[in-house]
Amino acid sequence: MQRRDFIKNTLITTGAVALGSCQDKTPDANRKYEGQIAIIGAGAAGLYAGQLLEEQEAKYTIYEASDQIGGRIRSLKGLADFDLELGAEEIYGPPSQWYDWVKGAGATLIKSDSANDFYQIGSQIQNEEQLKTNANFQAALSLVREALSYTGDDVTLLQFLNARSVPTDVRYVVESILANKYGTSASRLSVKSMAEQSNIWSAGTDLYTSTNLSLTNVLTEKFKNILPKVILNMPIRRIDYSNERIMLEDSQAQRRFVDKVIITVPLSILQSGDLQLTPALPETHTNALKNIGMGAGMKVTLLFNKRFWDSNTAAIYTAGVVPQFKVNSYGREAKSFVLTATIMGEKAEFLSTQSATVLVQSILKDLDTLYGKGAATAALTNARITDWTKEPYIKGAFSYPLVGGGGLLTRQALSQPVKRRIYFAGEATHYGGHSGTVHGAIESSRRAVDELLRDVS
Ligand SMILES: Cc1cc2nc3c(=O)[nH]c(=O)nc-3n(C[C@H](O)[C@H](O)[C@H](O)COP(=O)(O)OP(=O)(O)OC[C@H]3O[C@@H](n4cnc5c(N)ncnc54)[C@H](O)[C@@H]3O)c2cc1C
């Protein structure tokens, strides 16, 4: 059973609450704004903000630091006989706008089914059915459930686990399902804020993977009309909003002037000061920046010349260096055999310091132990590491709740417009439970554009 199933159970038992002000609100078509708007970042949030402004016939430009659109949506062609996702991959919903777009673009979606997830128990690998009578495994699942409805003191997941008796061989199950899914490690994740988020999640209980259409293609097709408004290779370094017009300075010290700005860069870019604001952001925002976490995250894509796992395997959870492998060839009529390791938090931080060879070897070693006779090492033909922490304009995975961080109220504080001229969107600013997701990023843009239009009406 995975996070979605626990979320489903939690939602059923607690009843999902409304999304609040992050939920879709269509900007009023009568509001017209004549000023010039800059959107910083061309990920899902930035592109959608552009589209909403386009619909309002507003004047806007999207400045993107890197040489491509999509941000943390990035697809890879050519490694396998199907496209691979190096960032976001799982599509939550319905209901979610992202789900609608992907489906509307003609994607064939396969729904995840936890019956096809396999778990390491000692040096064995077993699925949920086989683990039905495994008391330790069932205890781990109960703990996941308990954590997702936790309302006690604000503690880390690690402290939560230490306060309970957790069989050692399945402790990793709780950490993988929760901490890794939330983009971090057990020692960093606030279990109370995680539960707060999960309890107001309103994007349904299912998740899907596209088998025929890359997510980059979905974005390119969806936003084809506004792509001419995106300027690539244009990192904005400073936003000076102390004068009547807002000055944007890029990395070449070139300046341009606009009237309003929507910032959609990753949380880490604001936290690191790579994008500076003059005057500095108000204390509400600077405090919020300190109180939301964003740490290391990577995907390692491994191509094999034969399958050594059971044909019905969709995901593999391990106690080793990789909390979760996705079997990318699962559900596809494909000749390539691909596993993608998703590693977040402390483990990703450590692996990030290793050479590519050592990193891949340590992953293969774990698989060899589980599947026997050097199966993985013998079958590997190619590997691709996507270390999001080393991406200069991303610097990490996605935002997660910190202990003492104030939970959703802190995200709400971060999302507040400044002086009716600077607006904030992007996954970290979603305070309705969908941070760390693509649909959350999209919903945050609706909110930000709505705030902007409200200010000018
Ligand atoms: C490994 C991984 C796996 C994930 N898996 C999933 C998943 O399965 N499902 C899911 O829903 N979500 C997943 N996510 C999260 C999801 O990818 C993000 O929540 C979402 O894509 C964020 O969109 P965004 O527009 O807020 O930010 P981004 O996509 O990060 O876009 C921000 C843009 O700002 C640009 N930028 C940065 N600095 C500057 C600057 N100074 N000037 C101009 N531009 C700048 C960046 O280059 C980037 O293009 C995953 C993320 C990672 C890293």
Side-chain angles (χ1 to χ4, degrees), residues 386-402:
T386 310
D387 186 347
W388 287 95
T389 322
K390 289 184 178 162
E391 294 288 322
Y393 305 116
I394 304 290
K395 290 191 162 177
F398 48 87
S399 64
Y400 66 86
L402 287 171

Side-chain angles (χ1 to χ4, degrees), residues 139-257:
L141 296 190
S142 298
L143 279 168
V144 174
R145 212 173 283 119
E146 187 186 336
L148 281 167
S149 54
Y150 177 80
T151 54
D153 291 344
D154 197 3
V155 295
T156 62
L157 180 64
L158 187 66
Q159 289 167 321
F160 169 91
L161 291 175
N162 287 344
R164 285 154 184 81
S165 65
V166 190
T168 358
D169 64 333
V170 292
R171 196 183 168 98
Y172 86 89
V173 173
V174 187
E175 298 184 355
S176 301
I177 290 178
L178 296 178
N180 203 60
K181 270 279 177 188
Y182 273 85
T184 185
S185 320
S187 64
R188 295 176 186 170
L189 181 70
S190 159
V191 63
K192 188 175 180 171
S193 298
M194 173 194 71
E196 182 193 20
Q197 273 184 225
S198 131
N199 284 337
I200 61 166
W201 173 273
S202 61
T205 54
D206 297 324
L207 67 149
Y208 295 85
T209 307
S210 165
T211 55
N212 62 333
L213 204 57
S214 78
L215 299 182
T216 300
N217 278 355
V218 172
L219 284 184
T220 310
E221 180 56 28
K222 173 81 189 162
F223 294 113
K224 58 175 184 275
N225 292 341
I226 66 152
L227 292 184
K229 299 279 181 69
V230 180
I231 304 180
L232 296 174
N233 301 305
M234 191 58 72
I236 301 301
R237 293 286 182 229
R238 199 159 71 88
I239 299 173
D240 184 340
Y241 62 105
S242 49
N243 296 312
E244 199 183 318
R245 297 208 81 201
I246 303 170
M247 189 273 290
L248 304 182
E249 190 176 272
D250 66 27
S251 55
Q252 305 299 315
Q254 295 292 317
R255 296 175 169 194
R256 46 188 63 72
F257 293 87

Side-chain angles (χ1 to χ4, degrees), residues 40-46 63-66 68-73 86-92 98 181 234-237 264-266 269 274-275 297-299 342 344 388 392-394 396-398 425-428 435-439 441 444:
I40 317 296
Y63 298 97
E64 168 54 45
S66 73
Q68 55 194 307
I69 64 151
R72 282 167 277 176
I73 295 174
L86 305 176
E89 181 159 15
E90 288 168 331
I91 301 140
Y92 296 91
W98 180 228
K181 270 279 177 188
M234 191 58 72
I236 301 301
R237 293 286 182 229
T264 76
V265 301
I269 300 300
D274 286 4
L275 176 58
M298 64 169 69
K299 272 192 169 183
T342 299
M344 302 288 175
W388 287 95
Y393 305 116
I394 304 290
F398 48 87
E427 58 86 9
S435 56
T437 66
V438 175
H439 63 275
S444 74

